[in-house]
Amino acid sequence: MDRVSPDAESDAGPESATIAQVAESVEDLARVIARQAQTLDRLVESDRSRGKQAAAGADLPLLVDLFALYTDATLCAESADDADRAAFAAIADGLDRVISGRNGVLIVPSPGAAFDARTMEAVDVVDTDDVAEDRTVARLLRPGLQVGDRSVRAAAVIVRRHQHLT
């Protein structure tokens, strides 16, 4: 919109000057709104990009490193003396929370849990006389890691197998 010169304002009267000021204010507001819309578009796109990266496993290398630290802390807790065991267990618990916070799931089946080939690897098999213990975990050797639907590292377990006597 054309701006009114001061000479034109005096010729056209005060209404014309007020209309010109309103028009200028509207133009300024339109520019501000356009800039804000562009900023919002960039923020939305940035958020979508972060979501796509997370869905694609962008944190996967970090989760694998955190999982390795968790495994080390767990092993240290198992072999440490009483004074250090609590400290290593606390580190492992903290790493568990960080892994969970980044959409990772630790696979730590306890003895007696049903064997799940999707998340566990049977490293060894032991015989059992109890039918109810068939295909259950006898012992956990190493925890596993799952991210989303993907098993990144299967938990290493010893599985019980019922012996069918014939």
Side-chain angles (χ1 to χ4, degrees), residues 110-113 126 136-140 157-160:
S110 57
V126 294
T136 61
V137 174
R139 184 169 160 230
L140 172 68
V157 297
I158 297 174
V159 179
R160 293 183 188 110

Side-chain angles (χ1 to χ4, degrees), residues 43-125:
L43 289 172
V44 167
E45 185 56 37
S46 173
D47 190 53
R48 284 183 186 151
S49 175
R50 250 193 316 267
K52 288 177 186 175
Q53 286 177 342
D59 278 351
L60 189 58
L62 174 64
L63 284 168
V64 169
D65 288 343
L66 290 170
F67 175 69
L69 290 171
Y70 169 84
T71 303
D72 291 345
T74 303
L75 291 173
C76 287
E78 289 174 3
S79 62
D81 59 18
D82 290 338
D84 294 335
R85 183 173 294 121
F88 284 118
I91 291 170
D93 288 343
L95 289 165
D96 182 1
R97 285 191 302 276
V98 172
I99 290 168
S100 297
R102 295 202 167 264
N103 297 323
V105 176
L106 292 173
I107 307 300
V108 187
S110 57
F115 176 75
D116 182 355
R118 295 172 296 158
T119 59
M120 300 177 204
E121 173 186 3
V123 176
D124 199 2
V125 176

